[in-house]
Amino acid sequence: MPQIHHLPLADIDATALLRDRLTLDAAALGTLQASILRDGLRQPIEVFAQPDTRPGTQPFALISGLRRLTAYQRLHAQNPAENPAKHHGRFATIPAFIRAPQDTAEALALMVAENEIRAPIAPWEKGALLQHCLDARHFETLDAATETLFPDLTRQGHSRLRGFALVFAELEGALTDPERLSARRMARLAVALRAGLGELLHLTLADHRGAGPETQWRALEPVITEALLLPDAPPPETPPNTPRKPGRPRRALHLRSGITLRREWTRNGWIIRINARHSEHPEIVDDILDVVERWFQGE
């Protein structure tokens, strides 16, 4: 059984590693605090000794137990010691296991494994962690990151995780409450991005910036539907072996006037959405219909 150490809260750096949990649920944190007050801490946190021992550096870095550490910090703030400099008080120290990972990658893997057991993190958070690990050069490739941090998954599971990272990288800042996205919805967004529909996703979200998650999802569904129905093929009504012109299919048209037209495939056929202010272009729809009529029916 590993030895349990009681470490001062001030000695633990919770930000030394990239975290796989982006948010802490306030209600769950309150429940945890009440449980600790009533029964004590059931499971110690995990830390490792920091290699940097310069003055001012906290000697330990947190591996797992961010919620437990946060709960202790809040309880300590509510029950301060008479002499904080001596780390007195019931919540001034926290039980901890001191691990010795070989490198940052192994420490990250320990963190993910612990959280997957206790409270699985959201698909968006998994994508964020993978992308942040790449940005920080903890892993050379996305494949290496997924296989190291989530070693027990199947090949299909690793592919899904790479999709989560793609969604985070492409849509960060564009979605409302992305942590609420289910694994299924994240996977569908990844399909749309891999099908080359990223521009349409961004154009759609720009029209619904700040809207609620369900409103945004309803707006995105036509784009996602096109990706699911036609990921790499022309529409079903297109005759076989029909050659495509270079640069096709065109997903959107941006005019110098500021008008944007974009196409969407639905189960009932194609629709073209026109993004233009009526006050600036009051005749835009009639003008387009006139052009289409002349094109298909002649003068």
Side-chain angles (χ1 to χ4, degrees):
M1 180 71 180
Q3 182 180 356
I4 297 176
H5 302 263
H6 292 267
L7 303 178
L9 299 181
D11 286 354
I12 302 170
D13 183 358
T15 64
L17 285 181
L18 294 169
R19 306 313 307 178
D20 57 353
R21 200 179 301 281
L22 301 178
T23 59
L24 295 178
D25 182 82
L29 195 57
T31 300
L32 178 58
Q33 288 179 226
S35 173
I36 292 172
L37 277 171
R38 183 180 62 252
D39 303 319
L41 188 65
R42 296 178 180 272
Q43 176 68 24
I45 65 172
E46 292 181 304
V47 302
F48 66 91
Q50 295 257 48
D52 187 351
T53 57
R54 291 176 299 179
T57 300
Q58 292 164 292
F60 297 99
L62 181 69
I63 295 177
S64 66
L66 178 61
R67 291 190 304 170
R68 283 163 278 166
L69 178 61
T70 302
Y72 254 70
Q73 290 169 335
R74 293 187 177 186
L75 289 169
H76 180 54
Q78 296 166 6
N79 302 272
E82 293 182 4
N83 186 353
K86 294 186 178 181
H87 306 298
H88 290 168
R90 181 180 176 188
F91 301 107
T93 63
I94 187 169
F97 293 126
I98 299 178
R99 306 300 190 190
Q102 294 183 356
D103 51 27
T104 300
E106 184 178 340
L108 288 165
L110 289 171
M111 174 187 66
V112 171
E114 171 72 9
N115 282 339
E116 285 290 279
I117 293 171
R118 291 187 164 273
I121 59 176
W124 177 265
E125 293 176 317
K126 291 179 181 179
L129 174 65
L130 290 168
Q131 188 58 46
H132 288 155
C133 283
L134 283 183
D135 294 341
R137 301 183 183 278
H138 293 318
F139 301 95
E140 292 186 3
T141 66
L142 187 55
D143 284 346
T146 57
E147 291 168 9
T148 300
L149 299 182
F150 301 90
D152 297 329
L153 292 183
T154 62
R155 180 181 300 180
Q156 182 179 7
H158 286 148
S159 176
R160 175 171 283 204
L161 282 177
R162 291 193 294 272
F164 295 169
L166 174 63
V167 172
F168 174 82
E170 292 289 337
L171 298 180
E172 182 187 13
L175 293 162
T176 301
D177 295 334
E179 294 85 1
R180 294 170 56 183
L181 285 169
S182 65
R184 180 173 181 270
R185 287 187 172 183
M186 286 284 287
R188 295 182 71 190
L189 286 170
V191 169
L193 289 169
R194 286 167 172 161
L197 301 182
E199 182 183 14
L200 285 185
L201 293 176
H202 279 287
L203 287 171
T204 301
L205 288 170
D207 292 340
H208 298 83
R209 191 170 298 279
E214 290 304 316
T215 298
Q216 287 186 332
W217 185 256
R218 285 193 297 271
L220 290 171
E221 279 189 308
V223 182
I224 295 169
T225 297
E226 178 179 350
L228 294 174
L229 292 177
L230 315 166
D232 295 305
E237 72 275 12
T238 303
N241 302 319
T242 299
R244 284 186 179 179
K245 295 181 180 179
R248 304 298 176 91
R250 299 181 67 182
R251 308 294 185 185
L253 173 63
H254 305 282
L255 302 177
R256 286 192 295 270
S257 62
I259 298 171
T260 297
L261 291 83
R262 67 178 188 270
R263 73 178 197 170
E264 292 178 4
W265 171 254
T266 71
R267 297 183 186 277
N268 296 320
W270 291 108
I271 62 173
I272 296 178
R273 294 192 179 274
I274 305 166
N275 185 0
R277 295 179 181 273
H278 181 268
S279 59
E280 297 175 1
H281 307 279
E283 306 296 331
I284 181 65
V285 176
D286 288 330
D287 291 343
I288 291 175
L289 291 175
D290 288 344
V291 171
V292 173
E293 184 177 32
R294 289 196 299 272
W295 183 12
F296 285 101
Q297 297 190 162
E299 295 294 340

